[in-house]
Amino acid sequence: MCGIVGYIGKASAKPILLNALSTLEYRGYDSCGIAIRNDSIDIYKDIVRVEVMQKESPTLNGTTGIGHTRWATHGEPSSTNSHPHTDCSGKFAVVHNGIISNFQKLRQQLIAEGHVFTSETDSEVIPHMIEKYYDGVLEEAVQAALDEIEGSYAIAVLTADEDILIAARKDSPLIIGVGDGEMFIASDVPAVLDYTDRVIYLEDRDLAVITKDSFKITSDGTEIKRAEHRATWSKEDVQKAGYEHFMLKEINEQPRVIQNTIGDYLVSGEPSSDAEFKFDEELRDLSIVACGTSYHAGLVGKYIIEELHGIPVRVDLASEFNHGRRMIPTSMAIAITQSGETADVLSTLKRFREESVRTVAITNVPGSSASRVANDTIYTKAGPEVSVAATKSFIAQLISLYQFTLSCPGLHRGIRESLLAELRQMPNKIEQVLDGACRIVNVAKFLAKHDNVFFIGRGINHPIALEGALKLKEISYIHAEGYAAGELKHGSIALLQENTPIIAIVANDNTRDAMISSINQAKARSAPVIALADEDDEDIGSLVDYVIRLPRTGNMFTPVTNAVALQLLAYHTAKHRGCPIDFPRNLAKSVTVE
Ligand code: F6R
């Protein structure tokens, strides 16, 4: 939620800040703004996308500045609510990501002391508090302000008085990029990759004073060293590479993503020697927590782990877990989070840790908060995912869950070997799905004309129906519901008519007959049916209106091929409807607020 950047060096700050912001737009794009230090501080902000600001903003000279791209939490998207915010004197400018939970109280106090506010945001209290405490040493004033703030923050502070930047974080991500005679601040590593691959991950309560040649980090006032890391992602990873949208590029990357995620494992059947997590414990029970698409991966995980290990697996929405719910004892908890920064997931992980439960994060982002909170981390190695809709990270999560399940002790060797053989086929199976994309385009043309759609699945593909519906609604704005097929007749069938398409996932497993029955019930209510079915399923064609044919895949692995087909269907439907596919309205990729 919200992307922040900072630059201090010898080059003109404005193009660098805007370029860095453009790679952070997945974090929010309601408005954007920059502040550049000259003799005073010049600010330009508006409810436009970064691309427009790059073309239309006035010349702003200066080699030190900060920038922000916003996902609105307090106050509508507007020019005045955009960041950076300043104090009354205009001497301090601040960009903020997070939520200040006690801002009303602080704001009332500051107003009583004579401060004048111009926005509805919680963030604006920060520059005013810095102004209140400033006595010539910016670092001390910022620390004093942060000591009174409750909630979460990642901030960058600019002052007119001296050529320094301050960065600080608590419960929101922030990195320092280390260059040669220049330094960067960013919410996420991709923002600095055009300039440097040397990064420092700030920890909670860190405050950094940054000049163009140096930085000093303190934690609660005590100076502290943080290790420098080499970024593992390259700048090519965050470019479109000729694709019209990042989403399409990311869908097409999926065969390689599988190889990268478990390449060694596919060859040897053993976790790679540098694996961060060793699968050495027999499972007794398991809790999985996640949000959104990652939650759907967790639901698939439940099916495969319960089926193969015969142990109970509980899957919770992290956003439902934290608010006073009693902890049910469990021996291990897995948190699945692409970004590794989802606030609800992080709170849940912390609760498990407090209860001394062994925690494992499945995450895509090296150095992310989840990887630092959990005892162990499984990295999905999907590479940076720019499009707001999760695609390749979902497939990588599924693959990591298969690997986890197959690697845990207690599985019969023969079963493991035969599933491993099927897992090895998956990059190739996905290639085949991608090769059939042009047939999906036709179905998408039909779907694009409708306003309400049901996705139905059974068993291991029920979560894929949920995921297919989520993908369609978030990028095409068509209302879609994912359903366990057998549940339709318990109420929602009332909505079926000739303009309510059903997308039925027809797996060639023990759910097939029941799914055919659900299809017939839908057809009897005149609903058009689109089936996802095996390439050799001869009977299905006569029962439905459209068939999306998929390569025959082992029963356990059909969620992967079905999910990829539904990603393509959502993509092409949104394209027919002219939607802003990579950056759908109201969304942000990294949800760092509860
Ligand atoms: C949907 C989507 C979201 C995320 C959710 C959790 O396409 O991307 O539903 O899956 O916000 O995010 P992570 O996985 O980063 O915790």
Side-chain angles (χ1 to χ4, degrees):
M1 277 11 217
C2 303
I4 70 176
V5 295
Y7 174 76
I8 181 164
K10 45 198 183 251
S12 174
K14 183 184 146 185
I16 293 174
L17 292 172
L18 290 177
N19 180 40
L21 278 183
S22 70
T23 68
L24 290 182
E25 276 195 302
Y26 67 87
R27 303 181 66 85
Y29 33 87
D30 289 334
S31 64
C32 62
I34 50 174
I36 308 244
R37 177 175 181 268
N38 211 317
D39 292 334
S40 57
I41 290 178
D42 296 328
I43 293 188
Y44 188 75
K45 55 186 188 174
D46 205 349
I47 34 174
V48 293
R49 296 285 300 272
V50 174
E51 191 185 6
V52 176
M53 189 162 276
Q54 278 169 321
K55 288 189 196 122
E56 294 179 0
S57 55
T59 308
L60 298 176
N61 294 319
T63 57
T64 306
I66 56 177
H68 189 269
T69 178
R70 180 168 186 247
W71 187 83
T73 57
H74 294 72
E76 60 176 6
S78 71
S79 178
T80 41
N81 287 335
S82 310
H83 298 218
H85 291 289
T86 58
D87 62 314
C88 299
S89 68
K91 201 191 312 189
F92 308 107
V94 174
V95 287
H96 168 231
N97 170 35
I99 300 249
I100 299 173
S101 46
N102 61 340
F103 88 97
Q104 288 288 15
K105 190 176 120 213
L106 296 172
R107 187 176 162 119
Q108 290 317 319
Q109 275 170 9
L110 288 159
I111 289 171
E113 290 163 13
H115 291 259
V116 177
F117 282 76
T118 56
S119 81
E120 302 157 283
T121 65
D122 54 339
S123 313
E124 198 186 352
V125 297
I126 305 174
H128 287 280
M129 293 191 51
I130 295 172
E131 180 181 35
K132 172 177 167 177
Y133 289 116
Y134 186 66
D135 194 13
V137 184
L138 182 63
E139 176 185 354
E140 287 173 8
V142 174
Q143 187 64 62
L146 295 180
D147 286 346
E148 287 195 25
I149 282 173
E150 289 165 16
S152 59
Y153 58 78
I155 57 166
V157 185
L158 178 71
T159 172
D161 275 1
E162 52 184 323
D163 198 21
I164 58 169
L165 290 175
I166 300 247
R169 73 156 273 178
K170 178 179 163 277
D171 294 332
S172 281
L174 201 59
I175 60 131
I176 299 175
V178 181
D180 183 11
E182 55 185 3
M183 299 280 176
F184 306 82
I185 300 170
S187 298
D188 201 356
V189 173
V192 302
L193 288 176
D194 271 343
Y195 311 101
T196 182
D197 63 353
R198 297 166 60 196
V199 293
I200 314 272
Y201 296 99
L202 293 179
E203 303 274 347
D204 279 350
R205 309 201 74 84
D206 281 0
L207 182 151
V209 181
I210 304 168
T211 70
K212 65 183 170 49
D213 300 306
S214 69
F215 58 88
K216 181 188 83 170
I217 302 174
T218 55
S219 175
D220 287 326
T222 308
E223 192 165 343
I224 193 156
K225 294 268 172 267
R226 296 281 177 225
E228 187 179 303
H229 298 264
R230 290 273 166 190
T232 47
W233 294 346
S234 73
K235 59 183 177 186
E236 288 73 31
D237 288 336
V238 288
Q239 288 163 354
K240 275 194 202 149
Y243 284 95
E244 193 176 345
H245 296 99
F246 279 108
M247 183 176 178
L248 190 59
K249 175 189 173 224
E250 289 160 5
I251 290 173
N252 277 283
E253 282 172 352
Q254 293 180 117
R256 188 160 50 84
V257 163
I258 298 180
Q259 294 287 1
N260 290 347
T261 299
I262 49 163
D264 290 352
Y265 182 68
L266 285 178
V267 177
S268 68
E270 297 296 331
S272 66
S273 52
D274 65 345
E276 297 80 2
F277 174 59
K278 300 277 179 267
F279 311 94
D280 52 5
E281 261 179 50
E282 188 139 351
L283 291 171
R284 282 184 284 131
D285 53 23
L286 184 66
S287 212
I288 298 179
V289 288
C291 295
T293 289
S294 300
Y295 171 72
H296 299 151
L299 291 175
V300 175
K302 174 182 167 74
Y303 274 94
I304 53 181
I305 297 166
E306 287 188 346
E307 184 66 29
L308 293 175
H309 288 278
I311 59 145
V313 180
R314 181 186 155 141
V315 188
D316 280 286
L317 287 163
S319 51
E320 280 292 308
F321 198 87
N322 295 318
H323 306 288
R325 270 184 69 184
R326 184 173 165 179
M327 289 283 285
I328 306 294
T330 186
S331 50
M332 186 190 275
I334 296 184
I336 307 176
T337 167
Q338 184 284 130
S339 61
E341 302 295 347
T342 300
D344 291 311
V345 177
L346 293 178
S347 315
T348 312
L349 260 179
K350 286 175 189 161
R351 272 193 79 192
F352 277 120
R353 285 212 60 172
E354 281 160 17
E355 300 287 326
S356 304
V357 174
R358 182 179 181 189
T359 51
V360 180
I362 296 184
T363 186
N364 193 40
V365 180
S368 58
S369 301
S371 69
R372 282 177 287 132
V373 175
N375 300 113
D376 296 289
T377 301
I378 300 173
Y379 283 111
T380 47
K381 302 204 177 94
E385 190 173 61
V386 179
S387 183
V388 164
T391 54
K392 61 177 180 171
S393 63
F394 177 66
I395 295 303
Q397 289 167 349
L398 294 184
I399 296 297
S400 291
L401 286 162
Y402 288 118
Q403 182 188 15
F404 172 81
T405 312
L406 296 185
S407 305
C408 281
L411 196 60
H412 184 276
R413 192 185 159 88
I415 295 177
R416 182 170 170 271
E417 290 305 317
S418 87
L419 290 171
L420 202 54
E422 287 174 3
L423 184 57
R424 282 196 185 101
Q425 304 282 322
M426 292 320 293
N428 184 266
K429 300 280 177 187
I430 294 186
E431 289 287 4
Q432 292 175 48
V433 179
L434 297 173
D435 288 347
C438 55
R439 292 194 292 276
I440 296 178
V441 176
N442 279 336
V443 184
K445 208 180 272 179
F446 166 77
L447 203 59
K449 293 184 226 137
H450 295 83
D451 295 323
N452 296 290
V453 178
F454 280 89
F455 287 71
I456 56 174
R458 284 179 183 262
I460 197 169
N461 281 295
H462 169 221
I464 301 305
L466 302 179
E467 174 58 11
L470 177 61
K471 218 83 307 171
L472 186 72
K473 66 187 144 196
E474 70 181 321
I475 63 164
S476 75
Y477 308 151
I478 294 174
H479 171 236
E481 291 199 42
Y483 249 78
E487 285 298 299
L488 261 191
K489 60 184 177 295
H490 294 293
S492 303
I493 200 164
L495 293 171
L496 296 194
Q497 45 189 354
E498 65 283 354
N499 59 358
T500 318
I502 294 272
I503 296 165
I505 304 174
V506 186
N508 198 1
D509 57 19
N510 55 5
T511 65
R512 188 173 189 281
D513 291 348
M515 181 54 84
I516 298 298
S517 169
S518 303
I519 288 174
N520 286 331
Q521 289 159 22
K523 288 299 300 172
R525 274 85 193 169
S526 309
V529 177
I530 299 159
L532 270 65
D534 273 7
E535 58 203 348
D536 52 3
D537 188 329
E538 285 172 7
D539 304 334
I540 197 74
S542 59
L543 298 176
V544 302
D545 300 85
Y546 295 89
V547 186
I548 295 174
R549 297 273 174 196
L550 298 173
R552 179 171 274 254
T553 308
N555 291 352
M556 265 307 158
F557 298 94
T558 53
V560 181
T561 43
N562 285 322
V564 175
L566 293 181
Q567 293 166 355
L568 286 166
L569 185 62
Y571 173 82
H572 288 292
T573 306
K575 201 171 156 203
H576 281 305
R577 288 168 70 96
C579 296
I581 292 178
D582 285 331
F583 300 104
R585 70 178 172 228
N586 302 340
L587 289 176
K589 191 159 186 69
S590 182
V591 186
T592 56
V593 295
E594 285 192 357

